[in-house]
């Protein structure tokens, strides 16, 4: 089925012009003024923005974690993403400690296959990487998994020691792949948690009080230093605060190939949320935790400049009922994570472009093009260009909505609360094409599970790509 999008304002990370877009199959075929090409479906985008579909490089669908499993599976989570204007997610497969990462990829691919509304890819969460397993990293890359997440937090569960991180980064640097780092000093955090519980502090806000910004900054500092010595690029995930941001800036200034993402929760929510009545603070028990409000301005400044390179959601939903409840008597047992995959584009458009913090091109860059490049999806994803996948969003910059779990236009996620309840946004997704198929149109879902496909990603393609190619690898 062919589609012609007429009269729209096409905005990419660098362009801003009025033109029509013709899609004959799954890719963009023609872009031009006043196209007169017969199409099965004509979309009038007059007065609307025509932007590349969002690329969310950090989601956790159907993920076992904290004694339960995230409440969105690959079907519900990707459908919600599509409603919100995201057309690719990069989710996380998890290696079971002591077993093969290739087996982990197979089992995560089996979970997603035939279920998703939009295209998807995987990072690999590495929980151990002894020397004999290092060759698996190349095999993963051949399978299109060209990034790995490693944790400095969660000792005994996910944590990798510094030697393992160094080995993995060396190999990633050689292979042209990328290590993503959960940068928090989990060993010290666990000590703080023990102390808090021993003093009888069980409420959700102690999640934040036991994870101070200094320990995120320390993790970031260490990850950046290890990457520097390993001569590899590194991507700091879910950066939440000024202290960690300064570490990224200092590393970038001395030439470290450092990328970092932040998320809407750190830009728009703050530590006061933990004071919501009763157990409601548990909604915001995510990691790193929400920070003091003044950090938000610093993060926005870094997004406008070039210290931060992507905005992901870290969509990791757990319902209040039966899931967050697990930690009613002990904050450390509240499953860590919060929802957001559906709301990212509107929230960032409104609070970024609408409130004058970032420009329109930068909005596209941070929500689509940047992550597509860093994670080897560009130019297939992340732009509107001849030959690129027709992952396109017609975005109504004038439409106002109030985000709420009770608003059927803003909440398709399988979770019993919204982290952004009552937030008003101006700017909303109207129509979504995923590889040329209209999957969402004016609030109606027109797709079906299985429309989305696994995307084999290429090598690291971020701004340090050329430096990496010329890097001398001798250590001594
Ligand atoms: O709270 C969070 N972010 N849960 C998901 C796991 C992670 O560290 O990204
Ligand atoms: Zn993490
Ligand atoms: Zn995460």
């Amino acid at each position: 089925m062919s589609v012609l999008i007429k009269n729209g304002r096409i905005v990419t990370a660098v362009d801003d012009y009025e033109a029509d877009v013709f899609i004959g199959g799954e890719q963009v075929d023609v872009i031009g003024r006043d196209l007169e090409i017969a199409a099965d479906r004509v979309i009038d985008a007059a007065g609307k923005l025509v932007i590349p579909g969002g690329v969310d490089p950090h989601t956790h669908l159907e993920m076992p974690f904290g004694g339960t499993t995230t409440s969105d599976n690959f079907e519900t989570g990707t459908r919600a993403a599509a409603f919100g204007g995201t057309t690719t997610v990069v989710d996380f497969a998890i290696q079971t400690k002591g077993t093969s990462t290739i087996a982990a990829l197979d089992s995560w691919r089996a979970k997603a296959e035939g279920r998703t509304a939009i295209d998807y890819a995987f990072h690999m969460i590495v929980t151990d990487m002894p020397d004999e397993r290092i060759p698996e990293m190349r095999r993963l890359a051949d399978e299109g998994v060209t990034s790995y997440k490693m944790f400095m937090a969660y000792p005994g569960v996910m944590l990798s020691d510094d030697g393992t991180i160094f080995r993995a980064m060396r190999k990633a640097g050689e292979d042209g792949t990328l290590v993503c780092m959960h940068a928090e000093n989990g060993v010290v955090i666990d000590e703080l948690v023990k102390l808090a519980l021993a003093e009888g502090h069980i409420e959700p806000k102690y999640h934040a009080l036991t994870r101070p910004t200094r320990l995120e900054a320390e993790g970031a500092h260490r990850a950046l230093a290890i990457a520097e010595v390993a001569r590899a690029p590194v991507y700091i995930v879910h950066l939440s605060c000024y202290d960690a941001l300064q570490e990224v800036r200092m590393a970038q200034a001395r030439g470290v190939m450092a990328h970092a993402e932040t998320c809407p929760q750190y830009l728009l929510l703050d530590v006061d949320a933990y004071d919501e009545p009763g157990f409601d603070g548990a909604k915001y028990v995510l990691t790193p935790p929400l920070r003091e409000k003044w950090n938000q301005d610093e993060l926005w400044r870094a997004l406008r400049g070039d210290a931060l390179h992507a905005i992901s959601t870290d969509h990791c939903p757990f319902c209040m009922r039966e899931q967050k409840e697990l930690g009613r008597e002990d904050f450390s047992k509240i499953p860590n994570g919060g929802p957001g995959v559906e709301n990212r584009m509107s929230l960032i458009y409104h609070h970024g472009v609408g409130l004058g913090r970032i420009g329109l091109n930068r909005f596209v860059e941070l929500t689509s093009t940047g992550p597509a490049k860093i994670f080897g999806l560009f130019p297939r994803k992340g732009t509107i260009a001849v030959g690129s996948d027709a992952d396109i969003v017609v975005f109504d910059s004038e439409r106002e909505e109030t985000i709420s779990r009770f608003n059927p236009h803003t909440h398709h996620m399988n979770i019993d609360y919204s982290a952004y309840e009552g937030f008003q946004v101006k700017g909303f997704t109207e129509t979504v094409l995923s590889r040329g198929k209209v999957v969402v149109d004016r609030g109606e879902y027109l797709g079906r599970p299985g429309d989305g496909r696994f995307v084999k990603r290429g090598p690291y393609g971020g701004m340090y790509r050329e430096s990496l190619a010329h890097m001398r690898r001798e250590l001594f």
Side-chain angles (χ1 to χ4, degrees), residues 306-451:
D306 205 24
L308 297 177
H309 302 146
I311 302 176
S312 72
T313 57
D314 194 4
H315 179 74
C316 188
F318 296 104
C319 290
M320 285 296 278
R321 260 193 68 224
E322 290 177 12
Q323 298 197 295
K324 294 281 187 181
E325 278 285 340
L326 294 169
R328 196 175 266 281
E329 303 304 328
D330 173 349
F331 71 88
S332 71
K333 296 200 166 57
I334 301 171
N336 289 193
V341 74
E342 183 168 356
N343 307 124
R344 179 182 66 136
M345 302 294 272
S346 278
L347 285 169
I348 299 305
Y349 182 83
H350 177 94
H351 289 273
V353 182
L355 299 186
R357 288 163 164 146
I358 54 172
L360 204 41
N361 296 116
R362 186 72 177 142
F363 163 71
V364 173
E365 190 170 7
L366 289 164
T367 56
S368 179
T369 320
K373 285 187 174 174
I374 292 168
F375 291 109
L377 289 160
F378 185 85
R380 194 165 153 196
K381 311 288 188 189
T383 194
I384 298 176
V386 172
S388 291
D389 280 356
D391 290 356
I392 297 177
V393 171
V394 178
F395 193 80
D396 184 348
S397 56
E398 295 300 313
R399 176 159 159 202
E400 299 187 31
E401 285 288 347
T402 301
I403 295 176
S404 168
R405 71 166 279 219
F406 304 107
N407 180 347
H409 300 294
T410 66
H411 196 95
H412 299 85
M413 298 170 286
N414 183 39
I415 180 163
D416 60 3
Y417 73 95
S418 168
Y420 304 97
E421 188 66 38
F423 271 61
Q424 299 194 341
V425 288
K426 186 169 173 189
F428 205 74
T429 294
E430 183 170 285
T431 305
V432 179
L433 281 76
S434 170
R435 264 184 296 97
K437 176 170 176 175
V438 178
V439 290
V440 170
D441 193 28
R442 293 161 205 269
E444 205 184 334
Y445 181 58
L446 302 177
R448 58 183 173 76
D451 281 338

Side-chain angles (χ1 to χ4, degrees), residues 17-316:
Y17 60 100
E18 283 178 14
D20 304 339
V21 184
F22 175 75
I23 301 130
E26 297 193 346
Q27 281 81 36
V28 171
D29 290 309
V30 186
I31 302 174
R33 283 266 161 87
D34 304 320
L35 293 183
E36 305 231 339
I37 306 175
D40 299 316
R41 164 110 201 243
V42 177
I43 296 171
D44 182 10
K48 309 280 161 59
L49 303 178
V50 178
I51 58 177
V55 175
D56 189 338
H58 190 154
T59 63
H60 301 277
L61 302 174
E62 222 171 314
M63 179 182 74
F65 195 60
T68 182
T69 300
T70 52
S71 56
D72 265 317
N73 59 26
F74 282 91
E75 184 177 334
T76 61
T78 57
R79 192 170 56 219
F83 270 108
T86 287
T87 52
T88 308
V89 292
V90 190
D91 205 87
F92 293 83
I94 306 181
Q95 175 200 21
T96 306
K97 236 186 209 339
T99 68
S100 144
T101 55
I102 309 297
L105 176 61
D106 289 345
S107 88
W108 250 264
R109 283 195 64 172
K111 283 204 237 188
E113 184 84 42
R115 300 209 169 87
T116 70
I118 53 169
D119 287 355
Y120 60 98
F122 288 113
H123 312 277
M124 178 60 61
I125 289 183
V126 172
T127 52
D128 69 4
M129 190 49 72
D131 280 338
E132 59 274 19
R133 217 178 271 300
I134 286 277
E136 284 182 17
M137 290 178 68
R138 181 72 255 169
R139 281 181 61 202
L140 284 173
D142 293 341
E143 295 296 322
V145 174
T146 49
S147 49
Y148 322 91
K149 183 176 177 189
M150 302 185 85
F151 286 78
M152 293 173 150
Y154 307 121
V157 189
M158 303 274 208
L159 182 141
S160 291
D161 60 34
D162 293 350
T164 305
I165 291 169
F166 176 74
R167 275 199 308 279
M169 282 186 177
R170 284 279 298 160
K171 178 70 173 141
E174 278 165 23
D175 288 350
T177 57
L178 181 62
V179 170
C180 303
M181 189 58 65
H182 179 124
E184 273 190 317
N185 186 323
V187 175
V188 179
I189 286 169
D190 274 12
E191 292 300 320
L192 290 172
V193 169
K194 273 194 262 170
L195 287 173
L197 290 172
E199 289 178 14
H201 300 303
I202 59 165
E203 307 91 316
K205 77 169 176 194
Y206 284 89
H207 174 72
L209 294 174
T210 53
R211 305 185 96 91
T213 58
R214 187 48 53 203
L215 294 184
E216 184 182 343
E218 188 280 327
H221 180 91
R222 195 157 28 104
L224 293 158
I226 298 172
E228 184 175 5
V229 174
R231 301 189 183 165
V234 61
Y235 181 94
I236 308 288
V237 293
H238 47 48
L239 185 142
S240 72
C241 61
Y242 177 70
D243 288 346
L245 175 62
Q246 286 304 82
E247 296 293 342
V248 171
R249 283 203 174 108
M250 281 190 285
Q252 289 168 342
R254 66 177 190 267
V256 181
M257 296 180 278
H259 291 289
E261 64 173 22
T262 190
C263 315
Q265 54 270 34
Y266 305 119
L267 294 165
L268 303 171
L269 305 173
D270 67 77
V271 70
D272 288 349
Y274 296 110
D275 291 329
E276 283 191 7
F279 187 61
D280 277 3
K283 292 174 187 169
Y284 312 99
V285 170
L286 34 87
T287 300
L290 303 180
R291 304 303 193 180
E292 288 177 15
K293 196 170 175 58
W294 62 267
N295 287 276
Q296 295 173 0
D297 284 343
E298 297 294 340
L299 296 178
W300 280 113
R301 244 192 292 284
L303 289 167
R304 189 169 61 221
D306 205 24
L308 297 177
H309 302 146
I311 302 176
S312 72
T313 57
D314 194 4
H315 179 74
C316 188

